[in-house]
Amino acid sequence: MVHVFDDTNDTNGSSEATINTLPLRKRNRGDEPRPSKMTILEEFQTRNFSIYGQWTGVLSIVICFAVGIANIFLFHLVILAFSILCICSGFIIIFIEIPLLLRICPTSSKFDALIRRVTTNYMRAAVYLVMSVIQWASASLKWTSLIAAATTLLFAAIFYALAGLRGQDFVGSKTLGGQGVAQMIV
């Protein structure tokens, strides 16, 4: 608000000083065209299964690390091997699902080339399916919490396979450093 001192003459001829309070015109940023920003909820509402797969993959990262570390302490040699594979799967998924990390983390050119091959929905579905089968194999020996990792990996594989079957292109979530669904719509 801006206070303006007004000492103009009245219509009666009397000179009376008043203070008028006038609102300042704020610069309205809505007047300018802005690029479209989609929220996570709006990305989910597009019904693009690759977005579901990507977010299920992010959930798989957390679960792979958690159950992988937890099962190390079972002190069973074969379960220890599956735990290490689960943790390695978590690291691989990080680089697959969060493309920004490939740019900022010092990795070898061979590793970068390997991760960059996993670009289509079918390739992602195959990678997740292989990781899931490995974790399901641990159940043949002993039922552990590694089944949680196997289940989320399987769901991610299913989502990516559905995206491929429906003919949807892979679209990474903008939140995770991808191009986002907004680019696909425009």
Side-chain angles (χ1 to χ4, degrees), residues 52-65 67 86 93 128-129 131-132 135-136 145-160:
Y52 302 154
Q54 188 172 26
W55 281 103
T56 307
V58 170
L59 179 63
S60 295
I61 294 168
V62 175
I63 291 176
C64 281
F65 284 136
V67 300
C86 192
I93 296 169
Y128 277 101
L129 186 61
M131 289 184 207
S132 178
Q135 294 309 313
W136 279 110
S145 58
L146 291 171
I147 301 305
T151 305
T152 56
L153 291 167
L154 182 63
F155 279 127
I158 290 170
F159 284 137
Y160 279 125

Side-chain angles (χ1 to χ4, degrees), residues 26-45:
K26 294 181 181 177
R27 183 176 174 190
N28 187 359
R29 294 185 187 259
D31 296 340
E32 310 167 350
R34 293 190 299 189
S36 173
K37 275 190 165 182
M38 292 187 81
T39 63
I40 294 172
L41 181 62
E42 289 170 336
E43 285 182 343
F44 281 130
Q45 290 173 344

Side-chain angles (χ1 to χ4, degrees), residues 46-52 120-122 159-171 184:
T46 62
R47 296 195 176 133
N48 189 327
F49 282 100
S50 65
I51 292 290
Y52 302 154
T120 66
N121 288 323
Y122 289 120
F159 284 137
Y160 279 125
L162 285 172
L165 291 173
R166 291 186 70 188
Q168 297 173 340
D169 291 330
F170 172 74
V171 179
M184 188 178 84

Side-chain angles (χ1 to χ4, degrees), residues 6-121:
D6 185 12
D7 64 351
T8 57
N9 288 337
D10 239 358
T11 54
N12 298 340
S14 68
S15 178
E16 186 177 304
T18 59
I19 296 179
N20 293 330
T21 306
L22 302 172
L24 265 180
R25 174 164 162 76
K26 294 181 181 177
R27 183 176 174 190
N28 187 359
R29 294 185 187 259
D31 296 340
E32 310 167 350
R34 293 190 299 189
S36 173
K37 275 190 165 182
M38 292 187 81
T39 63
I40 294 172
L41 181 62
E42 289 170 336
E43 285 182 343
F44 281 130
Q45 290 173 344
T46 62
R47 296 195 176 133
N48 189 327
F49 282 100
S50 65
I51 292 290
Y52 302 154
Q54 188 172 26
W55 281 103
T56 307
V58 170
L59 179 63
S60 295
I61 294 168
V62 175
I63 291 176
C64 281
F65 284 136
V67 300
I69 292 170
N71 281 291
I72 287 175
F73 300 106
L74 289 180
F75 303 112
H76 191 278
L77 192 58
V78 178
I79 297 298
L80 176 67
F82 282 112
S83 298
I84 292 170
L85 287 173
C86 192
I87 294 169
C88 291
S89 295
F91 278 115
I92 291 170
I93 296 169
I94 284 177
F95 288 106
I96 289 174
E97 296 301 348
I98 307 173
L100 176 66
L101 293 180
L102 271 180
R103 294 184 200 125
I104 61 175
C105 292
T107 55
S108 71
S109 59
K110 287 183 180 181
F111 180 76
D112 290 350
L114 178 70
I115 295 297
R116 286 198 172 101
R117 277 194 221 161
V118 186
T119 56
T120 66
N121 288 323

